[in-house]
């Protein structure tokens, strides 16, 4: 990665304020403690959980297979709920639920426990046993969390499939996990209208033979749904009549907790498989430290859907173990207005907001008038996850949403890592906008070159993890071979995350996107992320996606797709394009100057908000656009293609 050293440097640094540092959960001593005795450090964090029986051994590591807290016994659902109720916190609100149509519910820990016990008894009546797999395909409503915790309570594995996935994706996941029960809803609310889920299950189950015995259907919208009384059961018919008594059984620390599918860049989705003790230890520890949770006073809001790992670790398990009060919102950020998120922050006096760069850039595009119309002064900490956050978006987030006073935690992790891995500690770390900074205490990360040699400061390469961590995936469901091959074969003995990264002069880690997002232009490696960040730092640009298109002269040529920012007057067409090219040239260097820039209204994104550069590359190279079924909006590609055809070519 020869030229990475020459790429843009972000010199702004934001040290923690003395006021925040004085009250922070985290201290710098955590790093020393973990460095002195890593296993002792994690054992201490595990003590925070309720164990029915303590472990005999902290770690058994037979690379690449790890077992944590061997011999220990615990129950995930008990740790999330029973414990708080037994210790007198039953009246605390667990969820302030805000439905898209405006219906709202405050659900206490005692109520959650009551609901989970009844749902558990219903699962037992349906014959679900420990070790069985249950697919959950629900909108973002509290019952989705209830369903997950009911499974965990009896040791059944949940496999949550995001409610936006098609019948095709659904049946692939149901069959890969061999699920015997599907929990769903008639539908949910999105963009001001009810959408249907149940017919998609029916379509999925008709596609391939499967072992699903029952479909449990929660009534959310009241819409008409096809009903097959041989296998379908209404939630209210079976759950409501159950006893509210259920004593949790304790399972081994390594008892499977869930499977969550993540789409590989190619090929069939991978069933990432997590177990109990280590996962709960690391999710709850990181949630306490990185989000500085004060459960008696904070109102925390992670905007992720339960269908993603962020929803698992930082809506369900981490926050509930910590007794957090949180907001859960069913709908989209622009319904009924583009100020919806800010309206909810104001309504519940949210103190901690955790969201994704794609939403932050969307807010930038919409303009400041929406956040400015609301009182956001309750916010005291902001988080970012899912993609590298461009420095300009980071600054905007801090200034416009956080009123210039909130620390920002840019958290790097993956479905596979289960919990946060690289992130600032608020109150401790002086942050650089756009950098996730350093590995958390107890986590060992390196940046290595092609030969697996660890690089020093000022160099770029591949991000690897060098020691097992408690919440690491225990495998890919059904394929140990694929697990070894995907994560452990590229660099001997090290976990290869698939991300490019660089260490700056001070040793801060900068994530550069997936390694397949690195361009090779005239022999220089240039990260798409850095060119995107440079474009986004231009006052007229809200969002940018950059790809390398095959070029006879330079190997690859840089092609950029940009969305302009609302409310800012700009020079028109060709002038603006010239200006943007000059901007990147000045900011990063002439080598990074895009050869072509196209202004678009939308970018192709997956439902989890990641830009699908592969499709943009197809457009830039004049190929038929590849498989776009995982796009949140499949029409976007047509719009972009027609725009490109009519655009001016390279200058
Ligand atoms: O490329 C990294 C990017 O998202 C990938 C993991 O995606 P997923 O399993 O869907 O989990 C997303 C939520 C944890 C990573 O390999 N990524 C995630 N967080 C960041 C990030 N890239 C840069 N900075 C981040 N903070």
């Amino acid at each position: 990665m020869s030229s990475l050293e020459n790429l843009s440097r972000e010199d702004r640094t934001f040290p923690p304020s003395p006021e925040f540092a004085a009250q922070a959960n985290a201290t710098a001593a955590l790093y020393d403690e973990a460095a002195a005795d890593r296993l002792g450090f994690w054992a201490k964090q595990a003590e925070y959980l309720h164990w029915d029986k303590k472990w005999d051994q902290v770690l058994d590591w037979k690379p690449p297979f790890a077992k944590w807290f061997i011999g220990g016994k615990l129950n995930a659902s008990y740790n999330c709920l029973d414990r708080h109720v037994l210790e007198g916190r039953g009246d605390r609100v667990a969820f302030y639920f805000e439905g898209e149509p405006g219906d709202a519910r405050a659900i206490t820990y005692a109520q959650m426990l009551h609901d989970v016990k009844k749902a558990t008894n219903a699962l037992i009546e349906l014959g679900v046993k420990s070790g069985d797999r249950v697919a959950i395909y629900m909108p973002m409503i509290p019952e989705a969390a209830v369903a997950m915790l009911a499974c965990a309570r009896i040791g059944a594995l949940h496999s949550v499939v995001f409610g936006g996935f098609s019948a095709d994706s659904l049946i692939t996941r149901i069959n890969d996990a061999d699920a015997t029960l599907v929990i769903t809803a008639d539908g949910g609310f999105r963009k001001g209208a009810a959408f249907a889920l149940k017919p998609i299950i029916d379509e999925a189950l008709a596609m391939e033979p499967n072992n699903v015995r029952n479909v449990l259907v929660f009534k959310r919208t009241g819409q008409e749904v096809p009903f097959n009384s041989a296998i379908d059961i209404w939630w209210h018919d079976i759950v409501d009549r159950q006893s509210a008594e259920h004593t949790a059984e304790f399972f081994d620390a390594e008892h499977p907790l869930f499977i969550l599918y993540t789409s590989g860049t190619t090929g069939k989705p991978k069933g990432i498989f997590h177990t109990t003790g280590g996962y709960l230890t690391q999710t709850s520890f990181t949630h306490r430290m990185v989000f500085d949770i004060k459960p008696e006073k904070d109102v925390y809001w992670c905007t992720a859907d339960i269908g993603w790992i962020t929803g698992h670790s930082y809506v369900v398990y981490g926050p509930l173990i910590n007794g957090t009060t949180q907001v859960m919102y069913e709908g989209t950020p622009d319904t009924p207005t583009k100020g919806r998120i800010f309206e909810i922050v104001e309504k519940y006096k949210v103190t901690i907001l955790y969201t994704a760069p794609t939403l932050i850039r969307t807010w930038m595009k919409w303009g400041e008038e929406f956040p400015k119309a609301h009182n956001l002064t309750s916010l005291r900490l902001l988080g970012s996850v899912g993609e590298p956050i461009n420095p300009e978006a980071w600054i905007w987030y801090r200034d416009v949403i956080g009123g210039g006073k909130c620390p920002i935690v840019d958290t790097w992790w993956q479905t596979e890592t289960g919990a946060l891995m690289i992130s600032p500690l608020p109150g401790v770390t002086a942050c650089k906008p756009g950098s996730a900074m350093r590995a958390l205490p107890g986590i060992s990360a390196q940046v290595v070159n092609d030969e697996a040699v660890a690089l020093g400061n000022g160099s770029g390469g591949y991000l690897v993890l060098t020691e097992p961590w408690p919440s690491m995936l225990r495998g890919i469901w059904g394929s140990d071979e694929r697990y070894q091959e995907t994560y452990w074969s590229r660099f001997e003995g090290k976990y290869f995350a698939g991300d490019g990264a660089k260490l700056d002069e001070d040793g801060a880690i900068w994530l550069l996107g997936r390694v397949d997002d690195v361009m090779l232009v005239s022999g220089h490696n240039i990260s798409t992320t850095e060119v995107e960040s440079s474009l986004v730092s231009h006052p007229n640009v809200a969002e940018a996606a950059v790809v390398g298109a095959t070029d006879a002269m330079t190997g690859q040529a840089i092609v950029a797709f940009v969305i302009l920012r609302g409310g800012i007057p700009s020079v028109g067409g060709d002038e603006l394009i010239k200006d943007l090219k000059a901007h990147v040239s000045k900011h990063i260097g002439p080598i990074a100057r895009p050869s072509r820039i196209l202004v678009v209204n939308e970018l192709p994104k997956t439902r989890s908000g990641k830009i699908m550069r592969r499709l943009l590359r197809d457009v830039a190279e004049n190929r038929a656009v590849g498989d776009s079924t995982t796009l949140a909006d499949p029409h976007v590609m047509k719009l972009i293609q027609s725009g490109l055809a009519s655009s001016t070519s390279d200058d």
Side-chain angles (χ1 to χ4, degrees):
M1 300 221 160
S2 50
S3 70
L4 286 171
E5 309 88 89
N6 305 326
L7 292 179
S8 62
R9 262 202 67 175
E10 174 60 58
D11 286 321
R12 288 168 288 191
T13 299
F14 293 80
S17 72
E19 300 78 46
F20 195 98
Q23 61 82 62
N25 288 351
T27 60
L30 286 172
Y31 293 109
D32 304 332
E33 221 184 287
D37 176 10
R38 194 170 59 90
L39 296 187
F41 172 83
W42 283 120
K44 187 169 160 195
Q45 310 317 326
E47 298 271 5
Y48 189 88
L49 301 174
H50 173 275
W51 295 84
D52 183 57
K53 177 179 172 291
K54 207 176 151 173
W55 56 90
D56 310 310
Q57 190 187 340
V58 176
L59 172 67
D60 173 37
W61 178 224
K62 297 195 176 62
F65 298 99
K67 290 184 181 154
W68 284 83
F69 308 114
I70 303 122
K73 282 186 180 291
L74 76 174
N75 183 294
S77 173
Y78 184 97
N79 268 283
C80 290
L81 303 173
D82 303 52
R83 187 180 184 189
H84 298 302
V85 174
L86 290 169
E87 293 173 9
R89 295 183 287 275
D91 290 339
R92 184 181 296 166
V93 171
F95 288 108
Y96 286 115
F97 171 68
E98 191 76 17
E100 198 189 72
D103 54 321
R105 284 190 270 165
I107 306 166
T108 63
Y109 274 87
Q111 183 70 45
M112 274 299 284
L113 179 59
H114 173 92
D115 294 354
V116 166
K117 284 180 170 176
K118 290 185 115 175
T120 302
N121 287 328
L123 296 189
I124 294 170
E125 185 180 318
L126 292 172
V128 180
K129 291 187 296 297
S130 167
D132 288 355
R133 274 83 58 201
V134 176
I136 298 178
Y137 184 65
M138 294 185 90
M140 191 61 181
I141 55 176
E143 286 70 22
V146 169
M148 289 165 74
L149 292 168
C151 291
R153 201 166 177 87
I154 51 172
L157 290 76
H158 51 74
S159 167
V160 182
V161 181
F162 175 59
F165 274 123
S166 63
D168 233 337
S169 311
L170 189 52
I171 192 65
T172 310
R173 287 159 174 77
I174 286 174
N175 276 345
D176 189 75
D178 195 18
T180 49
L181 174 72
V182 180
I183 307 181
T184 189
D186 52 353
F189 294 99
R190 203 183 136 76
K191 291 198 182 285
F195 65 91
L197 285 176
K198 172 65 170 55
I200 302 174
I201 303 268
D202 296 342
E203 192 190 334
L205 296 182
M207 284 171 115
E208 284 177 24
N210 57 75
N211 289 322
V212 172
R213 293 194 304 259
N214 290 109
V215 178
L216 181 56
V217 191
F218 182 80
K219 188 178 273 186
R220 164 69 184 139
T221 65
Q223 65 193 289
E224 282 289 312
V225 292
F227 215 76
N228 169 4
S229 48
I231 67 165
D232 297 340
I233 305 157
W234 283 111
W235 177 288
H236 54 260
D237 280 344
I238 185 165
V239 175
D240 288 4
R241 63 176 164 76
Q242 300 295 325
S243 149
E245 294 306 316
H246 180 269
T247 306
E249 188 188 331
F250 297 99
F251 299 99
D252 283 339
E254 281 296 335
H255 189 86
L257 184 61
F258 66 86
I259 304 170
L260 183 60
Y261 287 86
T262 163
S263 17
T265 30
T266 51
K268 77 171 199 170
K270 296 174 288 205
I272 304 300
F273 153 50
H274 284 283
T275 61
T276 312
Y279 173 80
L280 298 183
T281 297
Q282 196 174 329
T283 51
S284 59
F285 165 73
T286 50
H287 183 253
R288 269 196 310 284
M289 293 302 166
V290 175
F291 298 108
D292 194 51
I293 291 297
K294 308 282 192 292
E296 309 77 29
K297 26 185 212 201
D298 277 317
V299 179
Y300 159 91
W301 184 12
C302 164
T303 62
D305 190 279
I306 250 158
W308 311 115
I309 191 69
T310 312
H312 283 56
S313 303
Y314 297 101
V315 176
V316 179
Y317 293 107
L320 292 179
I321 287 173
N322 290 332
T324 313
T325 295
Q326 41 181 334
V327 169
M328 178 188 273
Y329 172 53
E330 177 185 28
T332 42
D334 57 353
T335 308
T337 72
K338 291 176 174 155
R340 187 67 192 268
I341 301 286
F342 313 118
E343 179 191 307
I344 297 174
V345 168
E346 180 173 4
K347 175 173 175 184
Y348 293 106
K349 298 193 172 51
V350 171
T351 57
I352 298 164
L353 182 67
Y354 187 31
T355 192
T358 178
L359 183 58
I360 298 164
R361 292 188 302 253
T362 303
W363 287 334
M364 290 169 77
K365 177 175 71 176
W366 288 343
E368 290 185 12
E369 64 267 30
F370 297 102
K372 291 252 158 84
H374 294 277
N375 180 352
L376 306 180
T377 51
S378 56
L379 289 169
R380 67 178 194 91
L381 188 146
L382 303 171
S384 173
V385 60
E387 286 177 273
I389 178 167
N390 322 94
E392 285 318 305
W394 194 101
I395 298 281
W396 189 93
Y397 195 25
R398 181 183 153 92
D399 288 348
V400 180
I401 307 300
K405 67 173 180 7
C406 301
I408 295 183
V409 288
D410 173 9
T411 60
W412 178 91
W413 59 297
Q414 308 178 295
T415 306
E416 293 87 340
T417 68
L420 311 185
M421 302 294 282
I422 300 176
S423 165
L425 283 178
V428 175
T429 314
C431 293
K432 301 186 187 191
S435 169
M437 300 307 295
R438 66 182 284 195
L440 286 169
I443 301 300
S444 313
Q446 280 178 351
V447 176
V448 299
N449 67 11
D450 271 316
E451 284 76 48
V453 176
L455 299 172
N457 293 354
S459 323
Y462 306 97
L463 181 70
V464 295
L465 303 167
T466 55
E467 300 284 355
W469 62 99
S471 63
M472 70 187 266
L473 74 165
R474 298 302 193 260
I476 292 180
W477 188 253
S479 180
D480 283 350
E481 225 169 274
R482 193 173 176 203
Y483 167 66
Q484 300 223 22
E485 167 64 29
T486 309
Y487 304 107
W488 299 92
S489 65
R490 174 87 184 256
F491 304 108
E492 177 80 40
K494 297 177 178 178
Y495 172 90
F496 175 43
D499 282 4
K502 71 173 181 184
L503 291 172
D504 71 13
E505 301 302 329
D506 306 319
I509 301 173
W510 293 76
L511 277 315
L512 299 174
R514 306 295 300 171
V515 287
D516 46 13
D517 291 338
V518 172
M519 302 172 288
L520 200 61
V521 183
S522 304
H524 298 269
N525 288 296
I526 296 174
S527 133
T528 54
T529 301
E530 290 198 87
V531 181
E532 286 164 8
S533 285
S534 173
L535 286 164
V536 174
S537 74
H538 187 282
N540 289 116
V541 176
E543 186 149 20
V546 166
V547 298
T550 307
D551 184 281
M553 293 300 288
T554 56
Q556 281 189 313
I558 301 175
V559 180
F561 299 79
V562 298
I563 298 179
L564 299 181
R565 223 148 130 173
I568 297 178
S570 68
V571 288
D574 289 353
E575 273 308 299
L576 177 64
I577 301 294
K578 268 198 198 130
D579 195 29
L580 292 178
K581 289 182 179 180
H583 177 80
V584 176
S585 196
K586 182 155 176 273
H587 194 209
I588 305 181
I591 183 71
R593 183 176 187 271
S595 68
R596 203 164 187 197
I597 297 183
L598 178 73
V599 176
V600 293
N601 288 323
E602 293 294 340
L603 290 170
K605 288 188 190 151
T606 62
R607 294 185 173 93
S608 61
K610 291 192 203 308
I611 296 169
M612 288 192 76
R613 292 185 185 75
R614 174 171 62 78
L615 300 179
L616 292 174
R617 217 154 32 231
D618 290 342
V619 172
E621 294 180 346
N622 297 319
R623 264 196 309 276
V625 173
D627 181 11
S628 59
T629 47
T630 54
L631 280 184
D633 177 359
H635 301 297
V636 165
M637 286 317 297
K638 284 207 181 70
L639 292 176
I640 291 176
Q641 270 176 307
S642 54
L644 192 63
S646 62
S647 80
T648 52
S649 64
D650 311 10
D651 61 2

